[in-house]
Amino acid sequence: MKSLNCTLNMTASRQQTTAFSFSFRPARVGPSHNTVQVLGKRRISKMAVSPTAPPIPISTSKLPSGQPLRVAVIGAGLAGLSCAKYLADAGFRPIVYEARDVLGGKVAAWKDKDGDWYETGLHIFFGAYPNMLQLFKELGIEDRLQWKEHSMIFNMKQRKEDIAISKDGLIRVKPTYSRFDFPSALPAPFNGIVAILRNNDMLTWPEKIKFAIGLLPAIIFGQKYIEDCDKLSWTEWLEMQGIPERVNDEVFVAMSKALNFIGPDDISTTVILTALNRFLQEKDGSRMAFLDGSPTERLCQPIVDHIRKKRGEVYLGKPLKQIRLNTDGSVKELVVGGDSDDDSHEIITADAYVSALPVDILKLKIPEEWKSIDMFRKLKNLVGVPVINLHLWFDRKLTDVDHLLFSRSPLLSVYADMSNTCRQYANPDKSMLELVLAPADEYIGKTDEFIVEETMSELERLFPQYVGTRAADPVKLLKFKVVKTPRSVYKTVKGLQSCRPTQRTPIPNFFLAGDFTLQMYLASMEGAVLSGKLAAKEIASAVETALAAGVDPPFLHAGSDVRNER
C-alpha cells in the first residue's frame, strides 16, 4: 500500500520459499460505518519471519593493509543507507554519495516556507517488515513508530449523483467506511478469517466462498505456485480461478494501486499472492504504523549518525557522473559532482562499489562495456511507474480517523489525515490530507493546479458534507503541495521476476542494492532495507571467502581515495 509506497509493495524472491497461508482480515463495523476506534499504542507481537542476519564482521587485523576496506555507495535512499550501516557494523568504511541535497531517495521530505513538511510518498510501516523493524531497534528509535489498531479501512463506494441532498439543497452526508478488523485474541490465520467473515459490506457470502476456493492451489502448492503465477496478471488469475469480477472491483483495485500504483489488469499475480502471504500468515503482519515525523529527519538521519559514528561518511550534492573501468572490466573509479562539463569533479576510488540508485537512473549510468552482460541487459525491462503525492491543508477538520484509508476511487489510491496519524504533523483543529494519485500516467505531465482541482472534485465524493458547492459545512483549502515522481518503483507487470538482479553482479568489485533487486519483498521500504543488508553481506562474504582461502580479497584498489579533476 511504498511502500503501500505508499509502501505496501511486496513480492517473492527465488531465494526463499515460504508456505502460503491465507487470511484476509475482514472487518468489524462499529455502531455505524462512521465510527473509527483507536485501540491504543501497543507494539506488535513477535514476528513470525525473522530478520535476515547481518554480515559477519571482518577484523582489520586479517586484512593486508590492516585498515578497513573502503566501499563507495552511490545513493542515500533507504537501500544505500542500509547497506552503508551494515557495512560499517561489519568493520568496513562506507562512503555514501547522494546526488540531491536531501536524504531518503523515495522517502525524501522537505519543509515549505511555513515550516510544514511534505513528502515523496505516503509511507506506511507494517508488522510484516522484519528487517525494517530490526533496523529501528538497532538504532534505538522504535518509539518513533506510531502503531495503529489492526484494521484495514475502505471508503464505501458512492457516486456523486447518489449522495442524499437535504431539503435546503445542501449535503450533510458524512464519510462512510467499511472495516476489516483483526481480533487481537486470535492467532493467524484465524484473526484474518474472522475479519473477512464479519465484513458483509464489500463481498457477499458466495463471493467469499468462491475466492477461498480459488486460493486453494496457492495454499496447497505454496511459494512455487505463487512464483509460477508471475506469467498472469491478477485479473487473468481471478478469471482462471472462476472468481467473480466484483471481488476485483470491491477489494483488489484498491489493493493493486496501493501495492504498485497500477491496476489489477496490469499487476503480476505473484505480487498480490505474496503480499497476502507475507502480511496474513503473521498475526500482526498487516498491522500498520506511521512514522512520528518526516522520514528524512526521523529515520534517515539516525542511520547517517550511526554510519558516521562507525567512521563512515555520507555526502550530499554529489551526483554520479561516470563509472570508469579497468581493462578487465572491473570498476576503476567513479566520477562524482558537478552539473556540467565545466564544473570540477571528484574522482573516487574504493575497494568495492555499490549502486543504490533507482533502476531507471542505474540504466543510464551502466558503462557501455557492461551492457551486453545478461544481468544488466535485462534491466531494460524494469521501468519505473509514475507516482504523484498530494498534500492538502484545510482550515478545519475533515475527519478524525487515525489510520490509513483506501479510497476505492478511480483517481486516488490511499490517503490519510496526517494531522491525526503523525505526531509531528498533529493539529487538533485543521486537517492535512496526504493522498496518493494512482495510476498517474495521465496526470504526471499536468500542472499542479489541474491535479489539485481533479483531486478536490474527487473529495466531493469522499467528504460530501465538507467539499463541493452543495457542502453544508464547506472547508477552505489553505494551501497545497504536489510532489511528482515520474519514475518511482518499477512497474510490476507480469513476467518480470526473472529480470530482477541479485545484489552480487558478474563484476567482482561492483554490487547492487535497491528495492528492484532480488529479495523476498518488492518495491517497499522493507525491500530497500533488506536489499542493502544483502549487498553488505555479499561484500563481506567475498572478503571472508578470500581470507579463508589465504588469498587477497578480490577487490583492493590502488591510489588515492579522492582527487579533484576539471
Side-chain angles (χ1 to χ4, degrees):
M1 297 174 210
K2 118 224 215 141
S3 170
L4 296 172
N5 261 26
C6 135
T7 317
L8 177 141
N9 313 356
M10 307 163 59
T11 193
S13 159
R14 299 190 296 275
Q15 297 169 324
Q16 178 162 338
T17 300
T18 305
F20 180 95
S21 64
F22 175 75
S23 67
F24 183 71
R25 340 268 167 148
R28 157 176 60 92
V29 178
S32 72
H33 290 308
N34 298 324
T35 301
V36 177
Q37 301 171 352
V38 179
L39 303 181
K41 302 185 182 300
R42 69 178 180 87
R43 293 186 178 181
I44 65 167
S45 59
K46 184 177 179 180
M47 291 174 287
V49 178
S50 299
T52 297
I56 298 173
I58 304 294
S59 173
T60 54
S61 63
K62 297 181 179 180
L63 300 173
S65 66
Q67 297 294 319
L69 296 178
R70 289 171 49 88
V71 181
V73 180
I74 312 163
L78 288 179
L81 292 177
S82 167
C83 181
K85 187 266 184 194
Y86 288 106
L87 284 171
D89 289 345
F92 292 82
R93 189 182 176 214
I95 314 295
V96 182
Y97 299 91
E98 166 59 40
R100 299 193 294 181
D101 61 356
V102 62
L103 297 168
K106 297 186 187 77
V107 302
W110 303 263
K111 274 186 177 180
D112 67 10
K113 59 182 177 60
D114 301 318
D116 292 319
W117 285 96
Y118 58 98
E119 305 178 10
T120 307
L122 180 51
H123 306 293
I124 305 300
F125 299 80
F126 287 91
Y129 279 5
N131 294 283
M132 176 65 84
L133 299 185
Q134 180 65 25
L135 178 61
F136 271 82
K137 182 177 180 180
E138 292 167 355
L139 296 170
I141 58 173
E142 291 176 283
D143 60 342
R144 298 184 182 185
L145 288 173
Q146 296 182 248
W147 290 100
K148 308 306 177 184
E149 60 179 325
H150 196 171
S151 303
M152 298 179 74
I153 306 174
F154 291 73
N155 276 99
M156 291 295 289
K157 284 185 176 180
Q158 56 183 351
R159 300 183 304 171
K160 291 181 184 178
E161 53 268 33
D162 295 334
I163 298 174
I165 301 175
S166 300
K167 292 181 179 180
D168 59 2
L170 300 178
I171 297 175
R172 292 178 172 81
V173 177
K174 295 183 177 180
T176 56
Y177 307 101
S178 180
R179 299 170 54 94
F180 292 82
D181 292 324
F182 304 84
S184 60
L186 296 178
F190 302 107
N191 60 346
I193 293 173
V194 169
I196 196 166
L197 294 179
R198 290 195 303 191
N199 183 304
N200 296 311
D201 299 320
M202 295 170 66
L203 299 180
T204 66
W205 277 94
E207 289 167 343
K208 295 175 188 178
I209 293 171
K210 288 182 179 179
F211 184 49
I213 293 173
L215 283 170
L216 286 177
I219 297 171
I220 295 169
F221 299 111
Q223 195 67 29
K224 184 179 185 303
Y225 172 86
I226 294 172
E227 294 180 7
D228 288 344
C229 286
D230 184 50
K231 62 181 178 289
L232 299 170
S233 73
W234 179 249
T235 298
E236 291 171 340
W237 183 84
L238 288 177
E239 292 174 353
M240 185 179 73
Q241 299 304 105
I243 297 171
E245 184 178 349
R246 214 180 73 87
V247 174
N248 216 10
D249 294 339
E250 290 295 310
V251 178
F252 289 104
V253 169
M255 180 170 282
S256 298
K257 291 165 64 172
L259 283 166
N260 192 239
F261 313 116
I262 58 178
D265 293 349
D266 296 317
I267 199 168
S268 166
T269 296
T270 297
V271 176
I272 293 186
L273 287 182
T274 308
L276 292 173
N277 187 22
R278 289 265 53 83
F279 284 168
L280 304 177
Q281 71 174 340
E282 303 177 40
K283 179 179 179 179
D284 288 308
S286 57
R287 192 172 178 214
M288 306 177 203
F290 285 72
L291 194 58
D292 67 355
S294 89
T296 299
E297 279 193 344
R298 304 297 287 169
L299 173 56
C300 296
Q301 189 58 51
I303 304 176
V304 171
D305 294 341
H306 181 92
I307 293 168
R308 287 173 173 162
K309 186 177 180 180
K310 297 273 188 172
R311 296 183 59 199
E313 192 49 80
V314 179
Y315 295 108
L316 302 180
K318 301 283 186 182
L320 174 67
K321 307 300 290 186
Q322 184 184 6
I323 301 174
R324 292 179 178 173
L325 306 182
N326 294 305
T327 55
D328 64 357
S330 63
V331 179
K332 176 184 179 182
E333 58 195 18
L334 305 178
V335 182
V336 303
D339 296 324
S340 70
D341 293 337
D342 295 332
D343 292 326
S344 62
H345 308 305
E346 291 181 3
I347 306 303
I348 308 298
T349 54
D351 297 298
Y353 303 84
V354 180
S355 168
L357 297 169
V359 66
D360 291 288
I361 298 177
L362 172 61
K363 288 185 290 187
L364 298 175
K365 302 299 182 181
I366 292 175
E368 196 65 35
E369 294 88 335
W370 293 357
K371 290 184 178 179
S372 61
I373 298 174
D374 192 51
M375 174 183 283
F376 298 119
R377 182 178 54 80
K378 287 182 178 180
L379 293 180
K380 69 177 184 294
N381 298 312
L382 305 180
V383 179
V385 62
V387 178
I388 298 174
N389 201 49
L390 295 96
H391 306 73
L392 305 177
W393 285 266
F394 293 94
D395 65 341
R396 52 198 182 86
K397 283 289 188 183
L398 278 77
T399 177
D400 60 358
V401 177
D402 180 13
H403 213 296
L404 182 77
L405 291 160
F406 293 81
S407 74
R408 300 173 80 197
S409 154
L411 178 69
L412 304 172
S413 171
V414 291
Y415 69 98
D417 188 333
M418 301 298 280
S419 69
N420 299 329
T421 62
C422 177
R423 190 175 299 120
Q424 192 175 46
Y425 307 159
N427 190 320
D429 303 314
K430 300 177 182 179
S431 282
M432 190 278 269
L433 295 187
E434 188 168 341
L435 314 100
V436 181
L437 191 157
D441 305 70
E442 297 180 12
Y443 294 90
I444 199 72
K446 303 292 186 181
T447 65
D448 291 355
E449 290 73 17
F450 178 84
I451 292 170
V452 171
E453 183 179 350
E454 291 290 294
T455 302
M456 291 297 293
S457 177
E458 190 61 24
L459 291 183
E460 292 183 30
R461 186 182 64 82
L462 300 180
F463 299 100
Q465 180 183 4
Y466 304 114
V467 181
T469 56
R470 289 180 177 268
D473 303 306
V475 295
K476 179 181 179 182
L477 179 64
L478 300 176
K479 64 178 181 178
F480 63 84
K481 201 74 180 182
V482 178
V483 180
K484 300 176 183 177
T485 306
R487 294 287 180 93
S488 182
V489 298
Y490 85 90
K491 193 173 185 179
T492 55
V493 296
K494 62 183 181 182
L496 291 184
Q497 278 291 84
S498 62
C499 297
R500 298 174 67 193
T502 57
Q503 289 76 35
R504 181 176 289 199
T505 78
I507 311 304
N509 63 347
F510 186 74
F511 300 80
L512 296 177
D515 50 27
F516 66 93
T517 62
L518 194 60
Q519 29 79 24
M520 64 186 296
Y521 299 88
L522 184 64
S524 63
M525 294 186 292
E526 170 71 5
V529 168
L530 176 56
S531 75
K533 184 187 288 189
L534 292 175
K537 290 188 69 170
E538 291 287 4
I539 294 171
S541 175
V543 174
E544 190 64 38
T545 299
L547 294 175
V551 300
D552 286 344
F555 37 78
L556 284 176
H557 81 276
S560 61
D561 296 325
V562 180
R563 71 176 189 272
N564 292 320
E565 181 179 280
R566 184 173 289 276

